[in-house]
Each structure stands twice: as C-alpha cells, then as structure tokens.
Amino acid sequence: MRQGRGDGFREFAEGRSGHLYRSACLLASGDTHLAEDLVQETLGRMYLLWGRVSRIDNPAAYAQTVLVRAFLTHQRRRSAGERPVGEFPESGAAAAGSGSGPGDPALRLTLLEALGRLAPKDRAVLVLRYWEDRSIEATADAMNTSSAAVRTRTSRALGRLREQLGGNISEFAGL
C-alpha cells in the first residue's frame, strides 16, 4: 500500500514539477534558487498530504495553491528585500524596444524585472490571473482572500506594472 502511494506521488511530481517551477520563477521574479526552494517546499507539503490530496478533483490546482501560499509565506518572513542578481545586458526600457516578439529574452527580462518590483501579493495575483489563467474566484481561494480584494489588487497591480513599463503593455506583448 505504501509503495503504491509513493509511486502515485512520484508520477504526479514528475509530471507537474516543470510547470510548478515556471510559475515559481515568475513569482520569484526570475530568482531560480528561490523558485527551486518553493517547488521543493510545495512538493514536500504535497507528499505529506498525498493520501488526502490524491482524492481531490484537481491535485495540480491544489499544488499551485500550495506554491502561491508558500511564496507569500516566504515573502512575509523575509527580513531584507535585497537579493543577489546578475547584471542584465541592457536596461529594461532599452531591451524592450529592441525586441522582436514574445520569445524575446530582453522582453522576458524586462517583464521579470517589472514583476520583481511589485509587492508580493500583487505579483501573486497577476501570476495566478494571467499566467495560470485562473478565475477571480479561484485566485481568491488560492490567496485566501475575497473576490473583491482580488479584483481591486489586480487592477492596482496592472496599473503599477503599466507605470513601470511606461505606457501600453500591449506594445510589449506584441498585441
């Protein structure tokens, strides 16, 4: 019985770890070390609860919720807002102007840099709503808040992102 449980979890972890890692990178504003830690913590929590979680309709969505909550908990505990980063080849504004499309690395760096300057909850709401494509209600559930708070936070976070990017976000998205 115990071996079957471990095999089921291993299959789940192997199938979802890439997606969890990409989401964690966005939440962590490109800090791959923090992203790896968040994924490891998420999978650790999932393993402890696997007997109950595997009976949930959508364990993948539950894992994303655990990831976001682990990120928010980490941000609350963080004593200093500084983190080591390598230097970007160009400034964000210059890099965004030289890009050619959605696969442009300079565009990615600019967006990650702008996301990194947002408050953790603002970053989380944008990642859940637009990267994870979750509904307002699902985002509210993941963040343990109300739907009205998600709407307000989304609107304000997008406004802050627009201010940082200097104008119309659709220019950067190639829309």
Side-chain angles (χ1 to χ4, degrees):
M1 177 72 180
R2 192 146 178 93
Q3 183 64 25
R5 175 181 163 198
D7 289 343
F9 177 76
R10 180 172 297 144
E11 182 180 318
F12 171 80
E14 288 172 356
R16 294 302 301 170
S17 60
H19 186 76
L20 288 169
Y21 179 73
R22 287 187 294 276
S23 294
C25 281
L26 286 171
L27 289 169
S29 299
D31 183 346
T32 57
H33 299 289
L34 175 57
E36 290 170 353
D37 290 345
L38 290 171
V39 171
Q40 184 175 359
E41 184 174 341
T42 299
L43 291 175
R45 289 181 186 180
M46 292 291 292
Y47 182 76
L48 291 174
L49 301 172
W50 187 247
R52 288 180 271 163
V53 171
S54 61
R55 287 177 276 186
I56 292 176
D57 290 336
N58 191 349
Y62 185 77
Q64 289 298 130
T65 298
V66 171
L67 175 71
V68 170
R69 289 183 181 170
F71 166 73
L72 292 173
T73 298
H74 171 76
Q75 290 303 114
R76 280 192 297 270
R77 288 186 195 152
R78 210 166 163 181
S79 60
E82 297 179 14
R83 63 180 173 90
V85 296
E87 290 190 32
F88 295 120
E90 299 177 75
S91 71
S98 65
S100 61
D104 183 21
L107 172 64
R108 287 178 167 271
L109 290 174
T110 300
L111 292 174
L112 282 173
E113 188 179 302
L115 275 173
R117 285 186 244 133
L118 294 176
K121 287 186 178 182
D122 289 349
R123 194 175 329 147
V125 79
L126 291 180
V127 168
L128 287 170
R129 290 282 292 131
Y130 299 106
W131 173 257
E132 293 294 324
D133 197 27
R134 289 192 182 195
S135 67
I136 291 172
E137 293 75 22
T139 302
D141 185 49
M143 294 183 67
N144 204 22
T145 189
S146 69
S147 296
V150 167
R151 283 188 204 90
T152 301
R153 186 167 294 279
T154 300
S155 175
R156 290 180 183 164
L158 284 173
R160 288 184 187 107
L161 200 57
R162 282 186 190 100
E163 288 173 13
Q164 289 182 32
L165 294 174
N168 191 351
I169 292 178
S170 63
E171 294 172 13
F172 296 101
L175 301 174

